[in-house]
Amino acid sequence: MADDTKPKKPAANQETQPENAVAAEAPKAVAEPKPAKQPKKAGETPDGSKGAKTAEEAPVAATAAPTAAELLADDSASKKIVKAKGSKNITIGVANILATFNNTQVTITDMQGNVLGWSSAGRVGFKGSRKSTAFAAQQVAQDAARQAMSHGMKEVEVKVRGPGSGRESAIRALQAIGLEISSIKDVTPVPHNGCRPRKKRRV
């Protein structure tokens, strides 16, 4: 009986050894698939060192998109006003704005009526129905103002005539380019039962 029991013990040891070996290898196998946490892309590190940069860059990206007003301001600022050859050094003048249904004309004169600068929608480069738009009136006013400012113009009285859509935008453009507006008058001629009126406009 003693001989039967002796060979069984090493057999039991042999069976337990593989189990122990599997048990020892099991935690290794579990530990191996877990990769070390790699630092994420810029701005996502847990330290926050790069995250601070992106936080500073984020508002820059948000403010990078310019508005329409800024674009127009850049256009007016990009064209520098150079003094004209025979500059007359006239600081105060009159800006006459004629805004009709088909066109917008701006003429800037001195106080005696001598023309210093003028422009119209056709001169600026608009054709057809685009000549009567508010944007065309804005470009016209800026072009005429540059001509007058090359003679030293700083302050203007605005006289508006006509029912067109470019009345207000022309005045705003004069102010945006740097001219000081002292007064605004509407000098549209109004009949007092004098002449026969024109036929009614068909739209």
Side-chain angles (χ1 to χ4, degrees):
M1 294 295 290
D3 296 334
D4 295 336
T5 55
K6 282 180 183 178
K8 286 180 182 177
K9 286 180 182 178
N13 290 337
Q14 288 176 2
E15 289 176 359
T16 54
Q17 282 176 0
E19 287 177 3
N20 292 338
V22 171
E25 290 174 5
K28 288 180 183 177
V30 173
E32 284 174 355
K34 289 183 181 177
K37 287 187 178 179
Q38 296 177 355
K40 295 180 181 178
K41 292 180 181 178
E44 298 178 3
T45 53
D47 301 341
S49 59
K50 290 185 180 178
K53 288 182 182 177
T54 51
E56 291 170 8
E57 291 169 6
V60 174
T63 56
T67 60
E70 289 173 0
L71 287 171
L72 290 171
D74 292 341
D75 291 343
S76 61
S78 61
K79 295 180 181 178
K80 291 183 179 178
I81 293 154
V82 183
K83 267 200 167 185
K85 278 188 178 179
S87 63
K88 300 170 184 176
N89 294 325
I90 297 167
T91 56
I92 302 171
V94 181
N96 298 283
I97 299 170
L98 172 62
T100 65
F101 288 117
N102 300 317
N103 202 352
T104 305
Q105 297 173 359
V106 178
T107 307
I108 300 177
T109 68
D110 60 8
M111 298 307 288
Q112 285 74 39
N114 301 313
V115 176
L116 299 176
W118 70 274
S119 188
S120 67
R123 179 175 178 170
V124 175
F126 292 92
K127 290 182 179 180
S129 60
R130 295 180 63 199
K131 287 164 67 174
S132 59
T133 60
F135 179 68
Q138 186 177 12
Q139 298 294 316
V140 168
Q142 285 182 357
D143 184 34
R146 284 192 199 96
Q147 295 174 37
M149 288 172 82
S150 66
H151 289 286
M153 185 72 68
K154 292 179 181 177
E155 185 180 341
V156 289
E157 296 176 7
V158 178
K159 293 182 179 179
V160 187
R161 185 155 61 97
S165 60
R167 291 161 59 100
E168 292 179 14
S169 59
I171 296 168
R172 285 192 182 132
L174 290 173
Q175 192 175 20
I177 204 168
L179 287 173
E180 188 179 337
I181 295 173
S182 57
S183 66
I184 300 172
K185 294 178 186 175
D186 189 348
V187 292
T188 305
V190 180
H192 298 278
N193 285 339
C195 302
R196 178 178 177 275
R198 294 180 67 181
K199 63 181 180 181
K200 200 169 184 179
R201 183 170 176 268
R202 291 194 293 268
V203 182

